[in-house]
Amino acid sequence: MHDLTGRTVIVTGGARGLGAEAARFAVEAGARVVVTDVLDEDGAATAAALGDRARFLHHDVTSEEDWARVADFAVAEFGAVHGLVNNAGISTGSLLDAESVEHFRKVVDINLTGVFIGMKTVVPLMREAGGGSIVNISSAAGLMGLALTAGYGASKWGVRGLTKIGAVELGTARIRVNSVHPGMTYTPMTAVVGIERGEGNYPNTPMGRVGEAHEIAAAVTFLLSDASSYVTGAELAVDGGWTTGPTVKYVMGQ
């Protein structure tokens, strides 16, 4: 049911971390994948490691021209576009009253406007293909108010809302639109700020640990595939229960 054989998927921000893992899962499920990023060296290496069914293209998601070039490239290389994973984004942390307007706009432009342009670009191609699946990577910060996420949190709430609108408008075209909301996940980026993997290293979540990139990628593959054929407009939290509520330690008998 998770078979993606014969389908072409674009994965933005696919050079490393969650995007690279989502691209790997898609290729292993049989898809042809266009990996895009502004990190040319890492992106080219990721695509090369994935083999003949993967390509890399430099891509600024805030640019309409770049999006058009990516779409044309995917069709020229693989014939159609059936899936899009809007993963590219930047993560920042600052208090609301410390965030500059310039930086806020930059974060929203990459994290939200980039998703909008991507959806707008691929929809005509998916209509031609008879349908498709768009997976927008939001965040746990798009499900709850999280301190120190002024621009980031606002953009991820926006991605959540844009996903709902897309699902409503595109359902009859058999284009499904869903959002994935990772919690704290171990990647090269989070490792730099001291996030550690392993049981007990993240007590803020009911599961007591941070997520792994492959766990997010598995959810993305599910939403790209026919296993989720009647799922659209959903928001899938892959966060170890973080957004469910406060962690409470339970002792048997008390």
Side-chain angles (χ1 to χ4, degrees):
M1 289 295 287
H2 294 160
D3 184 16
L4 298 177
T5 301
R7 302 183 190 183
T8 300
V9 178
I10 297 169
V11 181
T12 71
R16 60 189 185 185
L18 300 183
E21 197 71 352
R24 182 176 73 84
F25 266 56
V27 167
E28 291 181 353
R32 301 160 299 199
V33 176
V34 177
V35 175
T36 81
D37 210 303
V38 295
L39 302 175
D40 294 341
E41 187 174 338
D42 288 345
T46 294
L50 294 176
D52 293 340
R53 284 186 282 109
R55 304 283 190 276
F56 172 73
L57 198 63
H58 179 90
H59 181 200
D60 172 3
V61 295
T62 68
S63 165
E64 292 181 72
E65 292 76 15
D66 271 19
W67 267 109
R69 188 165 53 85
V70 168
D72 290 345
F73 179 81
V75 172
E77 290 290 311
F78 298 130
V81 174
H82 308 91
L84 169 63
V85 181
N86 272 315
N87 171 73
I90 57 175
S91 176
T92 61
S94 64
L95 292 169
L96 189 151
D97 60 352
E99 181 98 334
S100 71
V101 173
E102 179 184 14
H103 190 258
F104 183 91
R105 284 178 173 154
K106 177 182 177 181
V107 173
V108 171
D109 201 24
I110 294 171
N111 290 7
L112 178 56
T113 307
V115 170
F116 164 72
I117 301 172
M119 293 172 65
K120 181 179 175 66
T121 301
V122 303
V123 163
L125 300 177
M126 290 184 174
R127 289 186 190 275
E128 291 178 14
S133 175
I134 298 172
V135 182
N136 294 327
I137 306 301
S138 179
S139 168
L143 293 172
M144 63 179 178
L146 193 61
L148 300 172
T149 67
Y152 180 78
S155 68
K156 292 304 186 179
W157 275 84
V159 168
R160 179 186 180 191
L162 191 60
T163 297
K164 303 286 190 187
I165 294 165
V168 170
E169 293 185 356
L170 300 171
T172 55
R174 297 298 180 262
I175 299 172
R176 298 182 296 106
V177 190
N178 295 285
S179 58
V180 172
H181 299 256
M184 186 59 72
T185 305
Y186 184 84
T187 66
M189 182 174 66
T190 59
V192 170
V193 296
I195 296 300
E196 297 181 10
R197 65 201 331 168
E199 297 294 334
N201 282 327
Y202 202 66
N204 289 352
T205 66
M207 292 189 70
R209 64 172 178 86
V210 300
E212 297 285 346
H214 69 85
E215 294 174 307
I216 314 302
V220 171
T221 305
F222 163 71
L223 291 172
L224 288 171
S225 75
D226 288 342
S228 60
S229 59
Y230 200 53
V231 179
T232 194
E235 46 199 42
L236 180 54
V238 190
D239 64 355
W242 188 20
T243 56
T244 303
T247 302
V248 178
K249 292 184 178 180
Y250 175 76
V251 179
M252 185 67 74
Q254 295 184 3

